[in-house]
Amino acid sequence: MLSELLQGTDTGGFLVIQDSSSCTGRHLLKSFINAALNREENIHVLGFEVSEEELGEGLNTSAPQRLHFHNAYSDPLGWTDHLTFTVHQFCLDELTHLVKQTSQSKPATLVIDSLSWILRHQSPPAVCKTLQQLKRGGAVRAIIGLLHADMHQKGTVGSVCHLATSVITVAPGMKGDEAVAKITKRSKSGKVMQYEEIFSIKDDLTVIVQSKPSHLEHKQTDPEEQQMDPTAHLTFNLRLSDTERKAKEKLALPFVFSKEKKTALLHSGQGSGRILYEPDANDDYDQEDPDDDLDV
Amino acid sequence: MFTELNSILNSTPDSFTKGEFIFVSDRQSDASFLIHHFLSFYLRARCKVCFLGLVQSFSHYCAISQRLGVSLAQAKEKGQLIFLEGLKESLSILIPQEGHTENQAMDFLRDPTVGLRSLYKFVQSSLNSSSSGEDGTEEWGPSVLLVDDISVLLSLGVSARAVLDFSHYCKATVCSQLQGNMVMLVRCDGEDEGDDGDDEGSELLLRGLTHQCSLTLHVQGLPTGYCRDIHGQVEVCWRRRQGDGQHTQKKLFQYKVHDKGASFFARGTSSAVL
């Protein structure tokens, strides 16, 4: 699935790469940028977190006019009065203007490094609104964003990922080189599919998927364990022979109220005492038996 | 300067990676011995050092650096070291006196919500003046910023967000623009709170700085408790992709702090054990 995503998101697609402090997702983000450059697409990068040099390391530089890096790293808050992109300019109009400035025939892919930086300075609803407007508008073809999931509350992360058509969560893998990617892909029909793959990234930013993707639709139930025979491996005999079993089943247990006991109690045998009752004038004798409805 | 740590980090005063952001953190332990190491290391490497000493006095650092063979007073006189003594300067804001000008850098004490923009301006001006090359001043090497420690700003009312913005700007200026290095210390107390994602707190600062940095050194006590011969463990984590194509590379060492230095060894190889 990771290779399919690398081959290009559909128009209007929004891909979120989630990472944490234990495993950075920036290498995977650079792989996506590189793959898009190889497909001869136009890329606009909003670089908040790392400098242009650091992000450009290893990228395919054969066509520099297709990769536009907007420097939001040197002065994102306007502290030094440089004329660079600031975080307050992250809104639909400014971004559309930015992308259309270097307009080429094909609509561009917008890469945001990182969404966490923007979420630190703008409220989550405003950021979600801008992202949704970008998705719907025609200025950009696709959006790829990097999000540090451990820097925000779960609700914020959830809101942003809800807008995404695909979410890749990167976690450290078993071996040093490898990482585990948990992918959630939402197709246009509304179907949600989840995948888990182990991958590693080479120096030239190609992604190698190490294991076959496991298609997780529901939790697999473990097969029931074999029932162990408790009468096996004992020093004494707990088993019953056939005759013993029959005798056991015939036995009437002392405190179980069976049919024979009931009839014996209700119809007293001969020779036992009988109770004769003649109602007095004061007694309220009701012919009906109040205990008639008891199921005894 | 600890020679064993130099070999672990693969750096000497003559050759070290430029543009690095080294993040030192500790949890229920004291990592300030690493700050003394880096201070003496960069002074020996003839770098221009801007030191924000927010938690101790200048004489404290002087005394310890003398044991490591570096004279801070001399470096300050020559202009190699610019020292912001946070404790003393804060008095100029908290108890304003006639004839004493306030230090703008500590403006955040008056209103913590304003952020650390003036502190950043102080850092920028002190490190940028090095490249002017006036007569009489010596040429120093790449600029270095040391902060000891940045988590104390959280106790002073500055939000973790503002501290992360400050460290971002310092990184942009010192590491990327001036191709120098930066070392920051964060002290955490208590257990790891898990991924709360809370807006305040040293955990958010710890995670945010881990994302920004290129090398982390995390100091902790031994999980088995107090030991006389081993003072704790240091986990070194290289975040930037190394030349041989590896992802984050981690190494764990144990250390013991002596009078004139600290020794680092692999787990289980302490001299008390072997």
Side-chain angles (χ1 to χ4, degrees), chain A residues 19-24 26-27 48-51 53-54 57 72-82 117 119-121 148 150-154 176-179 200-203 205, chain B residues 114-117 120-121 124 160-162 164-166 168-169 171-173 175-177 195-199 204 206-212 239-248 250:
Chain A
D19 68 355
S20 62
S21 50
S22 50
C23 181
T24 178
R26 189 159 290 115
H27 302 304
F48 286 96
E49 286 207 351
V50 291
S51 62
E53 293 79 32
E54 197 182 323
E57 267 172 38
Y73 170 74
S74 323
D75 192 9
L77 298 171
W79 282 4
T80 52
D81 304 320
H82 285 157
W117 225 104
L119 283 167
R120 207 160 80 214
H121 290 277
H148 303 306
D150 53 358
M151 294 289 294
H152 310 282
Q153 301 191 336
K154 286 207 171 80
D177 270 3
E178 292 171 352
S200 63
I201 304 183
K202 295 203 306 206
D203 271 342
L205 296 178
Chain B
V114 157
L116 297 168
R117 186 173 173 172
Y120 163 69
K121 290 259 189 253
Q124 194 190 24
R161 238 173 249 196
L164 286 170
D165 290 338
F166 169 72
H168 174 99
Y169 267 88
K171 182 183 167 195
T173 308
C175 299
S176 306
Q177 188 191 335
D195 25 32
D196 262 318
D198 55 342
D199 276 341
L204 182 70
L206 186 78
R207 288 192 287 255
L209 288 175
T210 311
H211 277 292
Q212 284 181 359
R239 287 182 64 86
R240 269 261 206 116
R241 176 176 278 267
Q242 303 291 306
D244 52 357
Q246 275 198 343
H247 270 263
T248 58
K250 285 192 189 181

Side-chain angles (χ1 to χ4, degrees), chain B residues 25-72:
Chain B
S25 56
D26 65 30
R27 187 180 294 280
Q28 293 182 325
S29 185
D30 193 354
S32 35
F33 69 99
L34 290 172
I35 291 284
H36 297 298
H37 157 81
F38 284 114
L39 179 60
S40 54
F41 176 88
Y42 286 116
L43 283 175
R44 272 214 201 148
R46 294 186 53 82
C47 292
K48 175 132 194 217
V49 176
C50 174
F51 193 113
L52 303 183
L54 302 172
V55 288
Q56 298 280 7
S57 63
F58 183 60
S59 42
H60 170 90
Y61 295 105
C62 267
I64 300 184
S65 298
Q66 214 156 29
R67 281 191 233 149
L68 295 176
V70 171
S71 167
L72 288 194

Side-chain angles (χ1 to χ4, degrees), chain A:
Chain A
M1 192 64 226
L2 197 58
S3 331
E4 280 175 46
L5 283 174
L6 275 163
Q7 269 145 36
T9 45
D10 318 304
T11 318
F14 176 26
L15 170 70
V16 170
I17 300 177
Q18 267 192 38
D19 68 355
S20 62
S21 50
S22 50
C23 181
T24 178
R26 189 159 290 115
H27 302 304
L28 188 61
L29 182 75
K30 282 165 71 164
S31 303
F32 272 91
I33 299 176
N34 217 28
L37 282 174
N38 290 338
R39 282 195 307 272
E40 307 200 359
E41 288 177 11
N42 297 318
I43 317 265
H44 286 261
V45 180
L46 287 183
F48 286 96
E49 286 207 351
V50 291
S51 62
E52 189 169 352
E53 293 79 32
E54 197 182 323
L55 197 66
E57 267 172 38
L59 286 185
N60 176 7
T61 46
S62 61
Q65 72 272 13
R66 276 194 261 120
L67 175 67
H68 308 280
F69 186 88
H70 301 285
N71 183 13
Y73 170 74
S74 323
D75 192 9
L77 298 171
W79 282 4
T80 52
D81 304 320
H82 285 157
L83 291 172
T84 55
F85 191 82
T86 66
V87 75
H88 309 294
Q89 284 176 278
F90 185 76
C91 59
L92 181 67
D93 304 325
E94 299 267 1
L95 286 172
T96 321
H97 175 72
L98 197 72
V99 172
K100 288 229 161 82
Q101 260 181 345
T102 50
S103 63
Q104 265 130 344
S105 50
K106 292 184 273 190
T109 304
L110 180 66
V111 174
I112 306 176
D113 175 18
S114 66
L115 285 166
S116 291
W117 225 104
I118 306 173
L119 283 167
R120 207 160 80 214
H121 290 277
Q122 286 195 6
S123 68
V127 176
C128 290
K129 178 178 162 194
T130 310
L131 288 169
Q132 180 73 344
Q133 285 169 336
L134 279 171
K135 255 174 71 175
R136 285 225 218 97
V140 296
R141 187 181 149 272
I143 311 173
I144 306 177
L146 179 64
L147 182 67
H148 303 306
D150 53 358
M151 294 289 294
H152 310 282
Q153 301 191 336
K154 286 207 171 80
T156 312
V157 174
S159 311
V160 175
C161 291
H162 202 76
L163 291 172
T165 51
S166 323
V167 179
I168 306 178
T169 307
V170 184
M174 287 292 171
K175 295 185 221 161
D177 270 3
E178 292 171 352
V180 176
K182 294 204 175 93
I183 306 169
T184 305
K185 187 163 157 50
R186 289 193 187 90
S187 62
K188 287 213 172 81
S189 58
K191 184 173 173 191
V192 179
M193 314 229 280
Q194 301 204 327
Y195 303 89
E196 189 169 324
E197 290 176 12
I198 300 176
F199 71 97
S200 63
I201 304 183
K202 295 203 306 206
D203 271 342
D204 58 353
L205 296 178
T206 49
V207 175
I208 303 177
V209 178
Q210 305 280 35
S211 74
K212 273 179 65 176
S214 60
H215 196 128
L216 302 168
E217 272 178 342
H218 56 270
K219 260 193 176 167
Q220 289 173 10
T221 50
D222 292 336
E224 279 198 40
E225 284 182 57
Q226 292 276 325
Q227 285 282 355
M228 273 196 51
D229 185 12
T231 55
H233 310 303
L234 291 172
T235 54
F236 44 90
N237 181 24
L238 277 181
R239 294 199 183 92
L240 296 171
S241 69
D242 283 335
T243 43
E244 286 170 340
R245 191 169 290 128
K246 281 185 195 141
K248 175 187 163 190
E249 277 158 18
K250 266 196 202 157
L251 181 67
L253 294 171
F255 295 106
V256 170
F257 200 59
S258 63
K259 252 196 168 149
E260 294 88 5
K261 281 208 175 151
K262 182 175 165 183
T263 48
L265 282 172
L266 288 177
H267 305 282
S268 49
Q270 295 201 347
S272 61
R274 287 181 70 213
I275 299 170
L276 298 161
Y277 170 64
E278 278 175 20
D280 202 14
N282 293 335
D283 285 333
D284 188 7
Y285 185 64
D286 192 353
Q287 287 286 2
E288 279 178 29
D289 181 5
D291 293 328
D292 228 345
D293 53 354
L294 284 180
D295 183 25
V296 169

Side-chain angles (χ1 to χ4, degrees), chain B residues 6-259:
Chain B
N6 282 345
S7 57
I8 291 172
L9 297 178
N10 223 0
S11 57
T12 64
D14 301 317
S15 79
F16 52 89
T17 335
K18 312 270 191 318
E20 274 220 300
F21 176 5
I22 301 173
F23 175 48
V24 182
S25 56
D26 65 30
R27 187 180 294 280
Q28 293 182 325
S29 185
D30 193 354
S32 35
F33 69 99
L34 290 172
I35 291 284
H36 297 298
H37 157 81
F38 284 114
L39 179 60
S40 54
F41 176 88
Y42 286 116
L43 283 175
R44 272 214 201 148
R46 294 186 53 82
C47 292
K48 175 132 194 217
V49 176
C50 174
F51 193 113
L52 303 183
L54 302 172
V55 288
Q56 298 280 7
S57 63
F58 183 60
S59 42
H60 170 90
Y61 295 105
C62 267
I64 300 184
S65 298
Q66 214 156 29
R67 281 191 233 149
L68 295 176
V70 171
S71 167
L72 288 194
Q74 232 179 29
K76 198 166 166 191
E77 257 173 70
K78 284 192 286 186
Q80 188 188 8
L81 172 67
I82 297 160
F83 194 96
L84 174 72
E85 196 169 345
L87 295 170
K88 206 170 78 171
E89 302 295 338
S90 60
L91 284 180
S92 68
I93 305 252
L94 297 171
I95 310 174
Q97 286 173 0
E98 307 287 325
H100 286 269
T101 50
E102 304 175 336
N103 193 334
Q104 294 287 324
M106 306 293 286
D107 255 355
F108 61 89
L109 283 173
R110 187 176 289 117
D111 184 11
T113 52
V114 157
L116 297 168
R117 186 173 173 172
S118 19
L119 189 62
Y120 163 69
K121 290 259 189 253
F122 170 80
V123 169
Q124 194 190 24
S125 59
S126 51
L127 287 176
N128 264 332
S129 60
S130 65
S131 40
S132 51
E134 301 142 12
D135 323 297
T137 56
E138 295 177 50
E139 280 289 321
W140 302 112
S143 313
V144 173
L145 172 67
L146 288 160
V147 184
D148 176 21
D149 68 63
I150 205 161
S151 50
V152 77
L153 296 172
L154 295 175
S155 329
L156 292 171
V158 185
S159 67
R161 238 173 249 196
V163 180
L164 286 170
D165 290 338
F166 169 72
S167 65
H168 174 99
Y169 267 88
C170 288
K171 182 183 167 195
T173 308
V174 177
C175 299
S176 306
Q177 188 191 335
L178 297 173
Q179 282 294 302
N181 287 6
M182 197 159 90
V183 181
M184 285 198 178
L185 170 64
V186 168
R187 312 201 58 196
C188 303
D189 52 344
E191 296 299 311
D192 199 357
E193 276 158 34
D195 25 32
D196 262 318
D198 55 342
D199 276 341
E200 286 96 51
S202 49
E203 297 300 324
L204 182 70
L205 184 60
L206 186 78
R207 288 192 287 255
L209 288 175
T210 311
H211 277 292
Q212 284 181 359
C213 71
S214 56
L215 173 65
T216 67
L217 286 120
H218 187 62
V219 176
Q220 265 180 307
L222 289 178
T224 44
Y226 171 74
C227 172
R228 195 183 52 195
D229 296 301
I230 304 172
H231 290 158
Q233 65 186 31
V234 179
E235 190 182 14
V236 185
C237 183
W238 285 267
R239 287 182 64 86
R240 269 261 206 116
R241 176 176 278 267
Q242 303 291 306
D244 52 357
Q246 275 198 343
H247 270 263
T248 58
Q249 192 191 357
K250 285 192 189 181
K251 278 196 190 164
L252 191 67
F253 295 93
Q254 290 174 340
Y255 70 91
K256 178 173 181 178
V257 179
H258 309 297
D259 190 35

